[in-house]
Amino acid sequence: MYFVFSSFKWQNARLKNMNRRTSLEVLLTSSLGVALLPQQLWSNNALAAVNEDAVPFYEAFSQHLLGDHYSAVAPLGVSIGCFIQNCLTEKGIKDLNTGLSQLQAHCLTRHKNRFEQLSHQQQQEVLIASFDPSAAPFPKAALFAQQLRGIALFHFFNTEYGATKVLRYLPVPGRYDGAVPLTSTARTWTH
Amino acid sequence: MDPLTPDFDVIVIGSGISGGWAAKEFCDKGFKTLVLERGKDVKHVEDYTTANTAPWEMEYHGRITQKEREENPIVSKCYAYGRTTEHFFVKDNEHPYQQDRPFDWIRAYQVGGKSLLWARQVQRWSHFEFERPQRDGYGIAWPITYDDLAPWYTHVEQFIGVSGNNDGLEEVPDGAFLPPWEMNAIEKHIQKEIKRQYPNRTAVIGRCAHLTAAKEIHREQGRNQCMARTRCERGCPLGAYFSSNASTLPWAKKTGNLQLKTHQIVSKILYDPKTEKATGVEVIDAYTKAVKRYSARVVFVNAATINSNSILLNSTSERFPNGLGNDNGLLGRYLSFHNYRGQVTAIHRGAPEAYYYGRRPTSVMIPSFRNKTRQDAAFQGGYMMFYSATRQGWTRQQEGAAFGTDYINKSAQPGPWSIYMMMQGETVPQKNNRVYLSNQKDRYGIPKVTLDVGYTQNDELMLADFLEQGAAMLKKAGCEQINAYETHQAPGLDIHEMGGVRMGNDPSTSLLNQYNQMHLCKNVYVTDGACMPSTGVQNPSLTFMAITARAVDYAAAQLKNRSI
């Protein structure tokens, strides 16, 4: 409850400093927001804070990263962008933006389109190359890909779905047992 | 304020771990006790507002923003500081202090103080801790021995509840323990290898102030068994770990002898040269800034080490122009702390079939093995090690695909065993490590605290030894990818600051006697970390509590026979 209240308060402050189009988007999403999950509400609220050019890439990146799990948490692009904008150091933001620019430049040179406009197969190829230091399509591509993956995973595993359905969320274990067999279906504890 | 009819029998300055104990003990003995807390009230359970908050319910999933980090460069370094706990910490700009040398002063101004936030590791000090400073020539003699304190350790352990094993080790004496936590497969393996390869080194399960089995005395406090949540720093709704809020303060309140006043900043202790005793304290209301005085027959100073020093330094009078009881000029000096600069990480590929359930609020400890019966290392003092083993989670690097459904599913599975080891080293008390008052004043007109504290060459030698030995021990235990490194952290971040108002037998080299009574002002006692002549190797909080209970027992007898 506190979360929803604070989100709206924060949003009102944001409205004062945004253009008309973005204001309308935020107002629209906030009017629908009451029916949304907190995570989605937060994502929509954060729209004005992010580099809007980057959001479609973050979204496409998340889709590839999460595979079948993506639909359970989508959209993630805005919240990832908002996290980068607010929680990273200036250098961290700069490094990610540089990496993103280089990746888009590579896509434009190689495929004549931005990453998010490429086919699913082409996107896969770019990402596979980016994660492979021996096939780096641009300088420090693997570092960029790993950093962004870390941020996206942080988001995913801290969503209610990621924490409870993919990991094992255990707010009240009740006891500690130091000797439990590891089964093939075991999942990492989170809290 | 009439000195003939004091407002209270006792004033306790501060409601943290030692202040809470002073209040409980005095109230139990029938003394009207006033506890003055400079911060806000924190009611047990009711004010633990984030105790059950899930990560998806928090902005940025609980991550502190860069702006908040930049606004709080000191407190945000603390391992326990985060979205779910920030309301229990003093922000950097709320109460600025000065640093001649970097000192990360972590504070918690509220009822319960840092007892809400502490790491809860409690080992008795051994006779080595009390004897070694004088034996090896790096400190004054402690005026008390382990035997003096042993019954008070038992007294405190039984009330707060301490989980642990009676290991029969001279360097960490046994106690009145609740059932111990369990080691996991790899921790047991490392323990076994250490025992096999190092005859004078032992790894045992940590001892912590958690109720692994609540006894009647704990149920009387309204506390329950630990549920292995490790959301402790948010405040435990079960009261499963010891804090003033869950334990000593409500207990004291039940006696009807306690008055607790919040937002009351003690600026000084008032001294009467005719009686050569304190008459009470002067306080400033944190909101109205109104100045008030409270009188009592005895004053216990438990404001936490640095603030206890600060209050005494500011308690000037014609008789004591340099601070209360400070004829020898040593008040504020010999401020010490623990050296936490060494860490070692590694992985272990053993026990692939083993896992664990729940979260354990302690780790494995390796008591000090250096300079035990004589100085045998290149440095003075000792250090202990802590280690734990956990299965790696989704942050680990993986072979194969770098993204996609299978990658996520694999990330969600427990990874190889990851080992974390850290040091806790004794620092040698130095005269030039000190707290003193600035010419600048804070918003209440009280001189600002200045800290001039640093490491010495002894700390460097100890650190190097830990890094070498820690890495070697893990290697011998079969670990791989061993990384021994220095944290470069400043003093203070250990949150184990001690000294400045040290105990001792000789009034020319100490401020307090063997009962924590000021040599030169007999009705003022200091029983928090400020009283410590040396830091020892072990965690200090249990010793603060035991020393406090012992001092109260003595002061109560003095009050009854009108000696003070």
Side-chain angles (χ1 to χ4, degrees), chain B residues 1 7 36 261-268 270 280-286 288-295:
Chain B
M1 194 171 82
D7 304 330
L36 294 168
K261 290 181 184 288
T262 57
H263 303 292
Q264 303 297 301
I265 302 167
V266 174
S267 58
K268 60 173 67 172
L270 303 167
V281 298
E282 185 173 282
V283 302
I284 299 170
D285 186 285
T288 65
K289 295 187 181 174
V291 176
K292 294 181 204 166
R293 291 181 168 198
Y294 296 103
S295 63

Side-chain angles (χ1 to χ4, degrees), chain B residues 17 21 24 115 118-124 152-165 175-181 206-226 238-244 246-248 251 361-362 541-542 545:
Chain B
I17 212 156
W21 260 94
K24 173 205 168 289
S115 77
W118 67 314
R120 310 166 305 280
Q121 304 307 301
V122 281
Q123 314 94 23
R124 291 184 181 206
W152 298 101
Y153 276 134
T154 304
H155 178 66
V156 170
E157 285 163 349
Q158 286 172 336
F159 191 81
I160 69 174
V162 174
S163 72
N165 195 47
F177 297 147
L178 302 174
W181 293 91
R207 299 165 185 178
C208 64
H210 282 251
L211 301 181
T212 45
K215 291 190 169 181
E216 187 55 35
I217 184 67
H218 308 123
R219 291 198 193 93
E220 277 181 55
Q221 298 168 42
R223 299 171 58 204
N224 296 288
Q225 187 171 327
C226 180
L238 303 163
Y241 75 87
F242 171 79
S243 67
S244 298
S247 177
T248 45
W251 184 277
T362 189
S541 295
L542 183 70
M545 291 188 263

Side-chain angles (χ1 to χ4, degrees), chain A residues 57-71:
Chain A
F57 171 75
Y58 296 148
E59 205 62 68
F61 181 89
S62 302
Q63 200 165 356
H64 285 281
L65 174 65
L66 304 178
D68 294 346
H69 298 288
Y70 172 74
S71 60

